[in-house]
Amino acid sequence: MGCYACETPDQWKTTIIVGTSFQSHDVTGTLRAQQHRLRFSDRVEIGCLVFPVTGIAFLVVDPQELPGNLEESELFEKIKKFTQIHRNSFLLLHAPFYGKGELKILSSIQSRFFGSNLGIIPVRNNAEMVSGILTIAKTFNILNKYSKSICSKPHVDSIWNGMCLARGRIIENSRVWEMLRDNI
């Protein structure tokens, strides 16, 4: 068995189910260029990417497309449905600049879904989005492969350490996290 953690992102390829409305998005173009297998479906929520092998899903939300009053938008209902369908769900809040309005939306989503299975990741551009998606998906893939074959304590600790390193890498490389940390 090879070392999954040692593979470079270019070597790892997987199947991703994407909503047909997301077909012309830059993110799908980048994933296609990296030779991931993309399957488009009408049954997948708008702005959703599903990794069937790992059981995780990502929902892309652009705060600029939301109405002024967040309570009047259908966003919370959409997120609630998304988290009920996918047990490992992540919301990608995509905004090139995080001002007071974007931070207010982020705070509202965090407080509404605190304690749920939703992970919220602010991203500034498509490159950060693809990098975050693939890092998380690959980490879950490694976890699934190890947990199916080996469930002893030392291996679980090793996997946990790998997940913590991946999370740290995402936070270190994200300018949004720096700005959020500075604003708190």
Side-chain angles (χ1 to χ4, degrees), residues 12 28-29 31 39-41 44 50 71 74 79 84 92 95 108 121 132 138 141 144 152-153 159-160:
W12 184 72
T28 55
L31 292 169
R39 304 290 181 252
F40 296 97
S41 173
V44 176
V50 179
E71 296 298 326
E74 298 173 359
I79 296 171
Q84 289 172 345
L92 299 167
S108 297
I121 305 169
K138 186 173 179 184
N141 188 46
N144 282 344
S152 66
K153 176 102 172 88
I159 293 167
W160 179 255

Side-chain angles (χ1 to χ4, degrees), residues 38-86:
L38 300 179
R39 304 290 181 252
F40 296 97
S41 173
D42 291 329
R43 294 184 173 199
V44 176
E45 187 77 32
I46 295 171
C48 187
L49 297 104
V50 179
F51 289 74
V53 173
T54 56
I56 61 172
F58 297 89
L59 179 63
V60 178
V61 174
D62 189 344
Q64 296 168 347
E65 296 174 1
L66 298 174
N69 187 356
L70 197 58
E71 296 298 326
E72 292 176 6
S73 74
E74 298 173 359
L75 178 65
F76 289 139
E77 193 59 39
K78 183 177 179 178
I79 296 171
K80 181 179 178 185
K81 180 181 174 186
F82 178 72
T83 57
Q84 289 172 345
I85 293 171
H86 305 285

Side-chain angles (χ1 to χ4, degrees), residues 109-127:
I109 294 170
Q110 285 177 328
S111 60
R112 176 71 67 97
F113 294 96
F114 182 74
S116 72
N117 61 331
L118 180 69
I120 303 169
I121 305 169
V123 292
R124 294 178 68 161
N125 55 43
N126 292 330

Side-chain angles (χ1 to χ4, degrees), residues 2-13 138 141 145:
C3 175
Y4 300 110
C6 299
E7 294 178 5
T8 64
D10 296 333
Q11 294 173 329
W12 184 72
K13 300 188 183 3
K138 186 173 179 184
N141 188 46
K145 287 184 179 185

